[in-house]
Amino acid sequence: MPRSVHQPLLFECAWEVANKVGGIYTVIKTKVPVTVREYGDRCCLIGPLSYKSAPMEVESEEPEPGSAFALTLQAMRDRGVKLIYGRWLIEGAPRVLLFDTGSCYDRMDEWKTDLWNLAGIPSPPNDHETNETIVFGYIVAWFLGEFAARETETAIIAHFHEWQAGLAIPLCRKRHIDVTTIFTTHATLLGRYLCAGSVDFYNNLQYFDVDHEAGKRGIYHRSAAHCADVFTTVSHITAFESEHLLKRKPDGVLPNGLNVVKFAAMHEFQNLHVQAKEKINDFIRGHFYGHYDFDLENTIYMFTAGRYEFRNKGVDMFIESLARLNGRLQKMGSKTTVVAFIIMPAATNSYTIEALKGQAVTAQLRECVSQVTARVGKRIFEHAARYSGEHGTEVPNAEDLLSSEDKILLKRRVFALKRNSLPPVVTHNMADDANDPILNQIRRVQLFNRSQDRVKIIFHPEFLNSNNPILGLDYEEFVRGCHLGVFPSYCEYAITIRR
């Protein structure tokens, strides 16, 4: 019996679902409200289970008892698959299903053999990323097969983002699972590798021996694109790239972007900018304590963010341009200060002591000033309340407002702001500081946050979230507070911001 297409079920699968490891996390998160408005609870997102982030991202719940969904999950649990089902704690509160890939590693050799026999795709033995992708793909295909066998009346759409989620597509095709598949590539994997080398990628795109280049790197890149019922990309240049490298012309281009209707009221957007900027100001006061000698009202905040791909993301060019801007501003005698943030996750050990100390001493100073202000206010009130009518006594003497204890307390807090070192250019202790490309580029151009530098730089090697002890802002809020985002990506797969 044919399935009804009037109220289809949608499963959207990506490695970044409730798992902040790249820009696709933001893509998925910001499109969810529109998707939920269209599909409601007929939409469910599927991703890998990260025990580090899931407790903060997902509120667990149980599916409706006796439903095809509940029976499918129970059948998989009975076979040893660990998973979490619930609501993703973002706008729209979509249903989300996260699979623990580690619970199925005992099946990995079997699945690798099946992948070779089924699709002729080999897999290296000790590549963790490949192993995770294979196990995740097989679990998702398992789920879709089980669910489609139980839910036989309604059409099922399965939308996959990027190669890490796309392995399930050829499996669904080979197993004749009755689902309609969509594959969206945000950039071809081979394109990323080629761009990372010193090649004129886009001008020579048609001349690459694609199979040879992919084979050298162990990339088997066409399967998901060719087996999907619908193939899409996120930009026209990526569509051009896909046509040459994947040998399939995309059926459509679905640009990433911001929901501009959400920011239609300009006064509301300006209010949000002011609020978010003040939070960044608080961080800057702490980070630059002892060297906080510039005017925040005459300061520009800019940033770049994304995966740590030093050349592909254009970080080398970004830092070089900051150094040249610093030289120009110094030569002009400008009083404007530019603070540039680099938000890219890297291997770290902990926050630096200086970064934590800066926020602590400024927080103590703020608390001290609040206490002194409250006492001064009380003294002014008491003086005014006792006014006897004598001319000249309406206002208390300024020297009487601060007690000796208040002065001592303030001096202690101010002296704590003294610093003998420059403000750090990085907020964390890097796992490999000496060989980090971003830090080495900063050292090369000598942007060390000196007082005479008009351009200050802060490398934050961790994605932002509101639980961060030094820069407690979500990415969207941080973007609102900044003045300019710079994305000089060589391989074009950054989020397009539409205004």
Side-chain angles (χ1 to χ4, degrees):
M1 184 177 70
R3 296 174 181 267
S4 171
V5 298
H6 297 293
Q7 294 287 317
L9 303 174
L10 172 64
F11 292 101
E12 190 159 4
C13 183
W15 193 258
E16 289 82 357
V17 169
N19 182 35
K20 189 183 290 188
V21 293
I24 298 175
Y25 173 91
T26 304
V27 173
I28 301 291
K29 182 178 177 180
T30 53
K31 73 191 283 289
V32 157
V34 179
T35 307
V36 170
R37 202 156 53 239
E38 180 74 22
Y39 282 86
D41 278 351
R42 291 183 290 111
C43 165
C44 180
L45 302 172
I46 301 176
L49 173 56
S50 167
Y51 288 102
K52 180 180 178 181
S53 61
M56 297 179 290
E57 295 267 2
V58 177
E59 181 181 12
S60 298
E61 62 180 44
E62 288 299 321
E64 182 182 347
S67 65
F69 196 87
L71 294 174
T72 299
L73 296 191
Q74 188 56 51
M76 296 185 73
R77 283 186 175 121
D78 291 343
R79 297 286 299 278
V81 180
K82 294 181 180 178
L83 55 91
I84 288 180
Y85 169 74
R87 298 281 177 175
W88 192 0
L89 299 176
I90 59 175
E91 184 181 354
R95 299 163 64 214
V96 65
L97 176 60
L98 306 178
F99 290 111
D100 179 3
T101 54
S103 65
C104 291
Y105 259 52
D106 58 326
R107 294 181 168 90
M108 185 165 57
D109 289 340
E110 174 193 342
W111 286 343
K112 284 186 174 182
T113 303
D114 181 67
L115 184 62
W116 171 253
N117 293 333
L118 205 64
I121 298 178
S123 51
N126 299 314
D127 189 308
H128 177 71
E129 191 173 36
T130 302
N131 291 343
E132 286 283 284
T133 300
I134 291 173
V135 173
F136 182 61
Y138 267 84
I139 293 175
V140 172
W142 180 358
F143 167 77
L144 291 173
E146 290 266 3
F147 182 78
R150 288 178 169 84
E151 175 54 70
T152 58
E153 297 180 357
T154 307
I156 302 171
I157 302 170
H159 184 188
F160 300 86
H161 292 267
E162 274 302 338
W163 67 276
Q164 287 173 303
L167 181 63
I169 296 175
L171 296 178
C172 289
R173 173 62 65 90
K174 290 288 186 178
R175 296 175 182 179
H176 304 287
I177 298 173
D178 192 10
V179 298
T180 299
T181 55
I182 303 170
F183 179 59
T184 296
T185 182
H186 298 249
T188 66
L189 184 62
L190 180 58
R192 298 182 191 217
Y193 276 92
L194 290 173
C195 282
S198 298
V199 296
D200 188 359
F201 178 65
Y202 289 107
N203 288 329
N204 293 289
L205 195 53
Q206 64 269 35
Y207 303 121
F208 287 115
D209 183 342
V210 176
D211 291 328
H212 173 70
E213 296 291 344
K216 281 197 306 184
R217 296 166 174 82
I219 299 171
Y220 296 84
H221 55 301
R222 295 182 188 169
S223 184
H226 282 263
C227 291
D229 296 306
V230 178
F231 173 48
T232 70
T233 67
V234 297
S235 68
H236 290 287
I237 194 168
T238 308
F240 176 68
E241 176 186 334
S242 299
E243 190 173 353
H244 282 84
L245 298 187
L246 302 183
K247 304 302 180 185
R248 178 175 176 180
K249 186 174 182 178
D251 300 298
V253 174
L254 308 175
N256 296 325
L258 294 177
N259 181 3
V260 293
V261 177
K262 187 175 181 180
F263 306 110
M266 185 54 64
H267 66 279
E268 181 182 354
F269 182 76
Q270 289 171 337
N271 290 339
L272 292 172
H273 166 70
V274 170
Q275 294 170 15
K277 181 185 172 186
E278 186 54 37
K279 292 183 180 180
I280 299 176
N281 286 346
D282 288 340
F283 165 77
I284 292 298
R285 292 185 186 102
H287 192 80
F288 288 92
Y289 81 94
H291 292 269
Y292 173 44
D293 53 2
F294 49 91
D295 182 9
L296 289 183
E297 292 304 314
N298 193 22
T299 297
I300 296 173
Y301 294 138
M302 66 168 63
F303 73 96
T304 191
R307 290 180 189 270
Y308 196 143
E309 297 181 25
F310 182 66
R311 188 168 184 274
N312 274 1
K313 292 291 188 182
V315 188
D316 52 346
M317 184 185 301
F318 180 62
I319 297 172
E320 177 70 32
S321 66
L322 292 175
R324 297 188 185 190
L325 176 62
N326 185 48
R328 289 194 179 188
L329 291 175
Q330 287 177 328
K331 188 175 181 180
M332 292 165 54
S334 174
K335 297 300 182 183
T336 299
T337 302
V338 175
V339 178
F341 293 88
I342 300 174
I343 312 295
M344 290 187 170
T348 62
N349 296 319
S350 61
Y351 295 102
T352 64
I353 293 176
E354 278 297 299
L356 292 170
K357 180 183 177 182
Q359 302 308 313
V361 295
T362 51
Q364 289 170 349
L365 176 62
R366 187 178 295 108
E367 183 181 357
C368 172
V369 170
S370 297
Q371 293 172 355
V372 171
T373 302
R375 288 196 287 269
V376 169
K378 185 176 180 181
R379 291 181 189 122
I380 294 174
F381 174 79
E382 287 292 333
H383 181 89
R386 295 173 184 273
Y387 178 59
S388 60
E390 182 181 348
H391 181 69
T393 63
E394 298 89 349
V395 179
N397 294 324
E399 58 270 18
D400 296 333
L401 293 179
L402 280 177
S403 67
S404 58
E405 292 82 0
D406 290 336
K407 293 177 182 178
I408 291 172
L409 187 60
L410 270 174
K411 285 182 180 180
R412 289 170 64 91
R413 294 291 178 250
V414 170
F415 288 157
L417 295 176
K418 288 184 178 181
R419 187 185 213 168
N420 297 320
S421 60
L422 293 173
V425 296
V426 61
T427 58
H428 292 58
N429 292 308
M430 304 297 291
D432 190 6
D433 184 289
N435 297 308
D436 184 81
I438 290 179
L439 290 181
N440 283 335
Q441 178 77 337
I442 292 172
R443 293 171 184 132
R444 186 185 70 80
V445 300
Q446 297 185 24
L447 282 177
F448 296 133
N449 293 338
R450 294 165 295 204
S451 295
Q452 66 268 28
D453 288 331
R454 299 278 33 96
V455 175
K456 319 287 187 180
I457 194 165
I458 300 171
F459 175 30
H460 189 275
E462 182 181 335
F463 282 131
L464 297 174
N465 66 79
S466 55
N467 298 316
N468 191 312
I470 60 172
L471 186 54
L473 291 167
D474 284 325
Y475 179 70
E476 292 82 0
E477 194 175 6
F478 173 76
V479 170
R480 283 197 197 106
C482 289
H483 300 94
L484 179 67
V486 183
F487 300 94
S489 300
Y490 180 51
C491 183
E492 194 265 3
Y493 49 92
I495 296 175
T496 302
I497 297 181
R498 298 182 299 221
R499 297 190 182 277

